[in-house]
Amino acid sequence: MIGKVGLGNFAKGILSYCYYEKELTAKQLKEITINDVRGDLIYIQHLGIKTMQDGRLDLDYLAKQMLDNRDKNRNFNKYVWHQSFSFPPGEDPSAEKLTSLVVEFAKEFGFAENQMLVFKHNDTKHKHIHIVANRINYNGKNTADHFKNYARTGEFSRRMELELGLKITSDMSLNQKGKQLAPRQDTAIINLRSLVDQVLAKASSIDEFGKQMQTHGFKTYIGRGVAFFNMQNRMKVKGSDLGKDYSLQNLENRMGMEMSQAFVPVKRKRKSRRKKQGLSI
C-alpha cells in the first residue's frame, strides 16, 4: 500500500477530482451525467448528503459544509487534507478492511471528530481510495498537524499492511521470523535527493535553486525551512524528511561550499621590490 498526501484550500475542486477523477470547470459540471462518476463513496462522517435528480452526489452541498466549518478559523488557509492509498495490482481489500483502514487513519492523523469522506476508485489496475478531510473541527481548531506527513504516512501504511493482512509493498521487508525490519528507502525520496543534489551544484542562490527545481516539476517553498511540492502527484515533502543534509540551513551551507569550490581565486606571487630594483636585503 502506498500513501500520498496533499493539502488544499478548495474543497469543491478536490471533491470533484475524487468523484469524477478529474477537476471540472463550471461548464463541464453542467454537462456531465451519472455515467461520468468514477468514485464510489464508501465512508462519510459529520457531513450531510444531498443527491441530484440523476442520483449523483451534490458536491456543492458537501463543499459548502466544509467551507462553513473552515470559517470558524479564518487564520487557517489549507484546511483540506487529501490523502490517497493505492494497493498493488490484483489486491482488492474488502469493505471491512477499508473501513478499518479509514477509521484507524482518522484516529492516527487527527480526524476522528472531523468532517471526512472517502471515495474508492476501481477503474485502474491499482485499486485506490481517496480521503478528503477537514483539518478544522467544529470548535475551529486545527486537529491535523501535517508535520512530517510523508514519513508518518509511510509508517502508517507499513503498520496497517501487517494488521489487516495486506500485501507488503516493495519498500518493506521482513526477517525470517516475520518481524518488521526498517523500511528501505522509498524510490521517490532517493530520486528527489539526487535531483536536489544536482540542482544545488549549479545554483548560485536559493531563488535560482527554486526556479531550477520548478523546471523539473517541483515547487520549492521557503519559510522557516524548505519543502518540495511535486506538481504531478501533488505530494509535499519537507527537506528535513529527506535527511539532515537537506534542511534549509544545510542547503544554504552546501550551496556556499559549492560556490567556493567552483571559484578559487589564484594568488599571484608578488615580486620583491628590492629584488626588482637590484637591491640586496
Side-chain angles (χ1 to χ4, degrees):
M1 181 173 70
I2 296 176
K4 296 179 181 178
V5 60
L7 304 176
N9 57 7
F10 183 39
K12 176 68 177 297
I14 296 175
L15 289 170
S16 176
Y17 176 82
C18 296
Y19 194 44
Y20 299 108
E21 207 161 16
K22 54 186 175 181
E23 190 171 343
L24 303 171
T25 63
K27 181 179 179 181
Q28 289 173 322
L29 284 170
K30 294 180 180 180
E31 300 172 349
I32 59 177
T33 67
I34 190 68
N35 296 323
D36 295 298
V37 173
R38 295 292 180 267
D40 295 328
L41 181 64
I42 64 171
Y43 184 89
I44 189 167
Q45 65 180 36
H46 302 300
L47 284 165
I49 294 178
K50 281 186 179 180
T51 56
M52 294 182 279
Q53 290 184 349
D54 61 358
R56 285 181 292 127
L57 289 173
D58 187 336
L59 299 186
D60 286 318
Y61 183 66
L62 288 168
K64 186 178 185 305
Q65 292 175 76
M66 299 187 76
L67 189 59
D68 287 345
N69 210 61
R70 179 254 180 176
D71 285 343
K72 297 176 180 179
N73 188 343
R74 297 294 296 179
N75 295 323
F76 196 68
N77 187 24
K78 293 186 177 181
Y79 67 101
V80 183
W81 186 298
H82 177 200
Q83 180 85 36
S84 67
F85 289 106
S86 300
F87 306 97
E91 183 172 44
D92 188 8
S94 65
E96 291 76 15
K97 287 187 177 182
L98 289 178
T99 299
S100 296
L101 170 66
V102 170
V103 170
E104 192 62 27
F105 167 82
K107 292 178 182 178
E108 180 81 15
F109 287 80
F111 299 107
E113 302 299 327
N114 294 28
Q115 297 169 327
M116 189 175 81
L117 65 167
V118 184
F119 297 94
K120 181 182 179 184
H121 288 177
N122 295 308
D123 54 352
T124 65
K125 65 179 182 179
H126 293 275
K127 301 290 177 64
H128 56 284
I129 62 173
H130 289 270
I131 302 173
V132 183
N134 200 328
R135 298 173 68 193
I136 302 175
N137 67 9
Y138 282 100
N139 294 320
K141 180 181 178 182
N142 169 28
T143 63
D145 193 346
H146 68 289
F147 178 69
K148 292 187 176 180
N149 52 28
Y150 184 88
R152 290 169 61 206
T153 296
E155 292 172 0
F156 174 80
S157 298
R158 303 292 79 76
R159 178 166 66 84
M160 296 310 296
E161 286 169 347
L162 295 173
E163 291 184 7
L164 298 177
L166 301 174
K167 292 181 180 179
I168 306 299
T169 52
S170 58
D171 64 338
M172 180 68 195
S173 60
L174 302 176
N175 63 14
Q176 293 180 348
K177 295 182 180 180
K179 293 184 179 180
Q180 180 176 337
L181 298 178
R184 299 172 189 161
Q185 292 292 346
D186 188 286
T187 302
I189 289 293
I190 294 174
N191 291 341
L192 181 53
R193 284 195 193 116
S194 177
L195 176 62
V196 170
D197 291 340
Q198 294 175 23
V199 174
L200 196 68
K202 301 176 182 178
S204 58
S205 67
I206 284 292
D207 287 343
E208 184 180 345
F209 170 76
K211 292 177 182 178
Q212 290 298 318
M213 287 295 292
Q214 188 158 357
T215 65
H216 293 280
F218 286 85
K219 287 185 179 179
T220 303
Y221 294 95
I222 304 294
R224 293 182 181 178
V226 61
F228 305 98
F229 179 76
N230 188 321
M231 293 183 285
Q232 182 176 2
N233 61 23
R234 305 183 67 80
M235 183 179 72
K236 187 176 182 180
V237 181
K238 289 186 177 181
S240 57
D241 289 341
L242 299 179
K244 63 180 182 179
D245 291 336
Y246 298 87
S247 66
L248 178 59
Q249 181 177 354
N250 284 332
L251 286 180
E252 292 174 332
N253 291 341
R254 289 171 60 193
M255 186 178 298
M257 291 175 62
E258 292 285 351
M259 299 232 359
S260 64
Q261 292 173 1
F263 176 71
V264 180
V266 179
K267 294 183 179 180
R268 296 182 179 180
K269 294 183 178 180
R270 298 179 62 183
K271 294 182 180 179
S272 170
R273 292 181 61 187
R274 291 179 178 271
K275 288 185 178 181
K276 187 174 180 181
Q277 296 174 0
L279 301 176
S280 59
I281 297 176

